Amino acid sequence: MTEGNFVDYVKIFVSSGKGGKGSTHLHREKFIEKGGPDGGDGGRGGHVYLVGNKGLWTLFHLKFARHIKAGSGGDGSGDRSTGADGDDKFIEVPLGTVVKDKETGETLFEITDDGEKQVLSRGGKGGLGNWHFRSSTNQTPRYSQPGLPGTEMDVILELKVLADVGLVGFPNAGKSTLLSVLTSAKPKIADYPFTTLKPNLGIVAYRDFQSFVIADIPGIIEGAAEGKGLGHYFLRHIERNSTLLFLVPVDTPDIKGEYDILVNELTKYNPEMLDKERMVVISKCDMLDDDLKAELKEELDVSFKGIPYMFISSVAQQGLTELKDKLWKMLND
Ligand SMILES: Nc1nc2c(ncn2[C@@H]2O[C@H](COP(=O)(O)OP(=O)(O)OP(=O)(O)O)[C@@H](O)[C@H]2O)c(=O)[nH]1
Ligand SMILES: [Mg+2]
């Protein structure tokens, strides 16, 4: 997935259909001079639904869909005929789509399951035909109800990426490079911070035709939870990942300290982040010879205590198979 078509936020205007008019009709037949009222009801206006689709990964297909409108209900007619219901509209969205009212900012609901269907905007009720209003005092009512109008609303759709593994690290830690060697994704890689501006997803092909999805998000810096850098905006993308992979480059002066800052930012953002499975990867290890690596390992065994960590190099392709094995195990245990 390239950066250009990853869309995780869209504003759309939806309107449900208005209800059809009830009919004011009097029965006419040869030889029956004054037939009774037989005006049928109007059909209901079309609803606008959101439907979860596990085959979708972005909201790109809705980027240019500014206005989504369901059909109006048909009017009722004589012989107690009910008007047809308006056409419903079904908006397909990826799993993890959060729906908000644009006016109030209130979260309306979230789509999490494949095939899950929720009404976003309900069509107006059809009006009752005059047939309903006959009574002992009025045998021929000459009125019926109009249909109720549909509702219009501006909504925001926001996507939380539902990948299996989320990559977390400071800018320049090597996250996109790792994604590019584990998957066929081709994210932009460069020697400056904030190269990645939008999440990238890649599929890791694992032994025996199995696979899992990795999400590479923009780098996180201290203060991200309060809105510094880009991290704040993208933290929601890793809220739903079941496993977090922390990347800290081997040339970082205080590796454990940097890891602590990352964990702290995630916790401030949402304490539930700490409940996830996590592992630390010390990246760019091709910069270190074996002696230095052994020395560092002694140090890290102490500072990381029980936290699982490992050395890798995306450039020299070191530790990648072991990393895949470990991630697979974490995801499936
Ligand atoms: N020596 C070495 N350099 C690496 C390795 N992995 C990444 N780099 C370099 O580190 C720099 C940053 O890599 P990126 O993959 O863009 O880092 P990132 O974490 O995605 O950065 P942002 O998108 O800015 O957050 C690039 O110059 C990469 O070539 C590695 O295994 N070894
Ligand atoms: Mg990047």
Side-chain angles (χ1 to χ4, degrees):
M1 204 165 299
T2 60
E3 308 223 344
N5 58 19
F6 186 90
V7 174
D8 61 352
Y9 179 100
V10 292
K11 279 186 255 184
I12 52 173
F13 179 66
V14 297
S15 40
S16 55
K18 68 173 194 306
K21 283 201 293 266
S23 156
T24 305
H25 190 268
L26 298 176
H27 186 69
R28 295 268 175 263
E29 221 174 303
K30 252 186 190 169
F31 313 119
I32 301 180
E33 215 174 86
K34 236 187 179 180
D38 70 348
D41 303 340
R44 73 156 172 83
H47 302 320
V48 179
Y49 292 94
L50 285 194
V51 188
N53 179 338
K54 70 173 176 355
L56 292 171
W57 286 99
T58 94
L59 295 167
F60 180 72
H61 60 296
L62 296 173
K63 192 172 171 186
F64 305 106
R66 300 256 174 267
H67 187 177
I68 295 171
K69 196 170 189 287
S72 305
D75 295 341
S77 52
D79 216 12
R80 289 192 219 165
S81 291
T82 303
D85 288 343
D87 284 337
D88 295 330
K89 271 277 182 309
F90 299 90
I91 307 175
E92 301 220 322
V93 292
L95 310 187
T97 298
V98 178
V99 188
K100 290 181 175 164
D101 184 324
K102 188 175 161 244
E103 301 273 285
T104 62
E106 182 201 354
T107 298
L108 304 174
F109 56 86
E110 186 172 344
I111 298 282
T112 50
D113 298 314
D114 191 38
E116 179 182 350
K117 199 166 95 175
Q118 299 220 35
V119 179
L120 182 56
S121 181
R122 202 165 275 286
K125 264 178 123 159
L128 296 177
N130 67 339
W131 178 75
H132 287 274
F133 300 106
R134 84 211 123 87
S135 63
S136 53
T137 51
N138 187 354
Q139 301 280 330
T140 53
R142 287 171 197 279
Y143 53 83
S144 53
Q145 286 176 335
L148 294 179
T151 47
E152 299 188 330
M153 64 196 296
D154 277 307
V155 291
I156 290 173
L157 304 182
E158 261 180 17
L159 180 62
K160 293 175 174 179
V161 174
L162 293 178
D164 300 303
V165 178
L167 297 183
V168 185
F170 275 30
N172 241 357
K175 300 179 293 300
S176 301
T177 310
L178 180 60
L179 184 81
S180 76
V181 295
L182 290 181
T183 74
S184 59
K186 303 266 173 291
K188 190 170 167 193
I189 294 166
D191 189 16
Y192 54 83
F194 297 114
T195 306
T196 302
L197 299 173
K198 286 186 166 188
N200 299 300
L201 297 177
I203 298 169
V204 181
Y206 193 65
R207 301 164 198 269
D208 302 330
F209 308 109
Q210 285 158 314
S211 60
F212 55 94
V213 177
I214 291 197
D216 162 34
I217 64 163
I220 287 165
I221 55 174
E222 194 161 14
E226 287 91 47
K228 272 205 191 132
L230 296 167
H232 170 69
Y233 180 68
F234 292 104
L235 282 174
R236 67 190 156 87
H237 285 302
I238 48 174
E239 258 182 300
R240 305 285 298 263
N241 296 151
S242 53
T243 296
L244 297 179
L245 190 61
F246 290 82
L247 256 78
V248 184
V250 75
D251 57 346
T252 307
D254 180 5
I255 292 179
K256 176 63 166 45
E258 187 162 310
Y259 166 78
D260 287 338
I261 293 174
L262 290 168
V263 171
N264 188 32
E265 288 307 322
L266 298 195
T267 315
K268 274 196 282 180
Y269 176 74
N270 177 356
E272 282 172 26
M273 295 275 216
L274 281 189
D275 301 339
K276 295 176 195 299
E277 288 263 28
R278 53 192 137 123
M279 183 160 80
V280 186
V281 146
I282 316 296
S283 64
K284 311 189 186 181
C285 282
D286 51 284
M287 300 201 286
L288 219 61
D289 64 28
D290 287 347
D291 289 347
L292 283 171
K293 208 168 173 176
E295 225 172 87
L296 182 61
K297 192 169 179 313
E298 271 177 32
E299 206 184 298
L300 294 181
D301 279 344
V302 176
S303 53
F304 275 109
K305 273 177 240 136
I307 306 165
Y309 78 92
M310 61 179 291
F311 294 106
I312 65 148
S313 164
S314 302
V315 169
Q317 307 254 327
Q318 288 166 3
L320 300 181
T321 307
E322 194 190 339
L323 174 62
K324 282 199 250 186
D325 284 342
K326 284 200 171 156
L327 288 173
W328 182 257
K329 218 164 163 285
M330 287 168 87
L331 291 170
N332 290 284
D333 271 353

